[in-house]
Amino acid sequence: MTDELVRVYLPATVPMLARLREEGLSAEAAHAVTPELREWYAEGDEEELEYVAFTRAAQDALLLLRNDPAAPRRRVVVSADLPARAVGRVNGELGSSVVRPAGPVPVKSVAALHVDGADAVEDVAAAVDVVVEAQAGDPDAQFTVDGAEDHELEWYDVTELDLLLREAG
């Protein structure tokens, strides 16, 4: 019997991508379509629920950038397919999409890489500066974060990792 795969969205930074091939991607928390998210957004179809989880990972990438001032100001989300047994559920509240990978996510599990384009750098940098205030409810800070979220992350196949690192680094 094969283990069911779960699509997980891991927030990351460009420097974290540089270590992906050798070390895998470690994340304390990631996002996925959880029972709590399904219950909260009962009218949403699978695609909409996946988009919510993806967007939350992109928001968490802002926090990672805040903690790494040297990282290029581009949000990164890594989409990976992990065995369900490797994805720990968090006793989340209604609407939560947070999950915990059991360990580093190997490059072989990566389905796609998503990274901000060069046109987003200025808006992402501004959002990084105020993301904590936005989470605390500051409407002006949220407006700035929304400016970064207006940018769609670009899609890359995992085979394009080296190209992506050259372009984004």
Side-chain angles (χ1 to χ4, degrees), residues 50-65:
E50 294 280 347
Y51 186 75
V52 169
F54 176 88
T55 301
R56 289 177 178 174
Q59 292 166 348
D60 284 356
L62 290 173
L63 295 169
L64 292 174
L65 287 169

Side-chain angles (χ1 to χ4, degrees), residues 29-42:
H31 294 270
V33 176
T34 63
E36 295 85 4
L37 182 61
R38 282 185 200 287
E39 185 178 344
W40 171 74
Y41 196 24

Side-chain angles (χ1 to χ4, degrees), residues 2-139:
T2 60
D3 199 357
E4 176 187 349
L5 294 178
V6 176
R7 174 61 53 99
V8 176
Y9 302 98
L10 300 110
T13 63
V14 171
M16 291 169 74
L17 282 182
R19 298 186 299 269
L20 174 62
R21 191 172 284 118
E22 289 78 29
E23 302 171 20
L25 183 62
S26 294
E28 288 183 26
H31 294 270
V33 176
T34 63
E36 295 85 4
L37 182 61
R38 282 185 200 287
E39 185 178 344
W40 171 74
Y41 196 24
E43 297 81 36
D45 64 20
E46 194 66 22
E47 189 173 319
E48 290 171 313
L49 294 170
E50 294 280 347
Y51 186 75
V52 169
F54 176 88
T55 301
R56 289 177 178 174
Q59 292 166 348
D60 284 356
L62 290 173
L63 295 169
L64 292 174
L65 287 169
R66 186 175 176 105
N67 293 329
D68 186 356
R73 291 328 202 201
R74 295 181 186 219
R75 295 169 298 162
V76 176
V77 175
V78 175
S79 298
D81 294 321
L82 301 176
R85 63 181 152 61
V87 180
R89 296 262 275 289
V90 176
N91 290 334
E93 53 195 53
L94 186 62
S96 176
S97 60
V98 178
V99 295
R100 297 211 192 293
V105 174
V107 71
K108 69 179 182 177
S109 296
V110 174
L113 306 166
H114 312 272
V115 182
D116 273 312
D119 63 325
V121 170
E122 189 175 314
D123 288 335
V124 170
V128 166
D129 290 340
V130 299
V131 66
V132 172
E133 292 83 353
Q135 287 183 331
D138 181 319

